[in-house]
Amino acid sequence: MSSTFTDEVRGRLEVDAKEVVARYPRERSALLPLLHLVQAEEGYVSQAGIRFCAEQLGLTTAEVTAVATFYTMYKRRPTGEYHVGVCTNTLCAVMGGDEILAGLKEHLGVGNDEATEDGRVSVEHVECNAACDFAPVVMVNWEFFDNQTPESAKRLVDDLRLGEDVRPTRGPERLCTFKEASRLLAGFSDGRADEGTQAGEPSLQGLRLARERGWSAPEPGAAGAPTGDEGSAT
């Protein structure tokens, strides 16, 4: 991959970068979405992408690199077109997440955060996919595939490599690519946020139970309610 952007790519990114930066009262606050923006261009945050972000925000490349290497959603080497994240946190692990992750790595012949030779699929160990009521959970480009097994996860990645029509359990009606997902995270909508199922049955069951029993969150200031000062010094 080239260490610099072409004039065409730079010109296009500069237009989008100005829109991103304009959302924030302080320019440097736009760094996170700008990193997603350059990741949407190449499928990872390259050295050229780091320099671009630094130039747009008046930062050093060291400052940008510190952020890009801290957050795991920014990749420093090319990902697959479909990036598969397997949750192995407590509940998913108990339900088989570790077995799913090990099975996928063996099945695809890749290590953690590595892509297949055809560039179609990469696999990542994820600490939590924030969907414990659907464990074990796999995400593809941050879309949910609930209640997985080692066998269903292998079928999923095989279908992705073959270009089959793969739909998430919840969310849009088709999967976007990793680059498209990165552009969404930069704040550029694809107009598909309301597609598909937004909440699954386990989540809705909890909501119905709360309504039936009259449960609700405590009012601000009530005993036991968060005050907003929990992190302040005393």
Side-chain angles (χ1 to χ4, degrees), residues 18-196:
K18 288 179 181 178
E19 180 178 336
V20 172
V21 173
R23 302 172 191 157
Y24 298 89
R26 297 183 62 195
E27 287 188 351
R28 67 184 299 150
S29 299
L31 178 54
L32 298 184
L34 277 189
L35 285 168
H36 283 301
L37 180 66
V38 297
Q39 185 162 260
E41 185 64 37
E42 299 181 285
Y44 74 113
V45 179
S46 67
Q47 202 59 36
I50 285 175
R51 281 197 298 273
F52 177 84
C53 292
E55 292 166 2
Q56 300 303 305
L57 302 176
L59 301 172
T60 66
T61 55
E63 288 174 311
V64 177
T65 301
V67 174
T69 56
F70 180 83
Y71 293 104
T72 59
M73 289 181 76
Y74 302 121
K75 304 304 177 186
R76 295 309 314 280
R77 57 185 176 184
T79 61
E81 187 175 358
Y82 297 98
H83 188 64
V84 179
V86 182
C87 181
T88 60
N89 212 329
T90 307
L91 188 54
C92 279
V94 169
M95 300 294 287
D98 289 319
E99 187 179 356
I100 291 173
L101 178 61
L104 285 181
K105 291 196 293 185
E106 180 181 6
H107 183 66
L108 296 171
V110 299
N112 188 59
D113 249 353
E114 292 181 354
T116 53
E117 291 185 1
D118 59 10
R120 291 285 287 174
V121 174
S122 51
V123 176
E124 178 186 13
H125 154 245
V126 177
E127 273 302 313
C128 184
N129 278 331
C132 299
D133 43 352
F134 300 97
V137 174
V138 169
M139 296 191 86
V140 180
N141 297 342
W142 318 121
E143 298 293 352
F144 288 107
F145 289 81
D146 303 325
N147 303 309
Q148 292 294 296
T149 66
E151 292 73 26
S152 67
K154 290 174 186 176
R155 287 195 300 271
L156 170 62
V157 297
D158 285 346
D159 286 345
L160 291 171
R161 297 186 76 181
L162 291 171
E164 299 290 344
D165 181 22
V166 175
R167 296 189 178 188
T169 309
R170 292 171 284 135
E173 295 173 0
R174 70 167 179 86
L175 277 176
C176 63
T177 66
F178 184 78
K179 290 181 180 180
E180 289 170 336
S182 294
R183 184 168 175 81
L184 283 169
L185 291 169
F188 294 92
S189 174
D190 62 359
R192 301 172 58 226
D194 296 329
E195 285 184 7

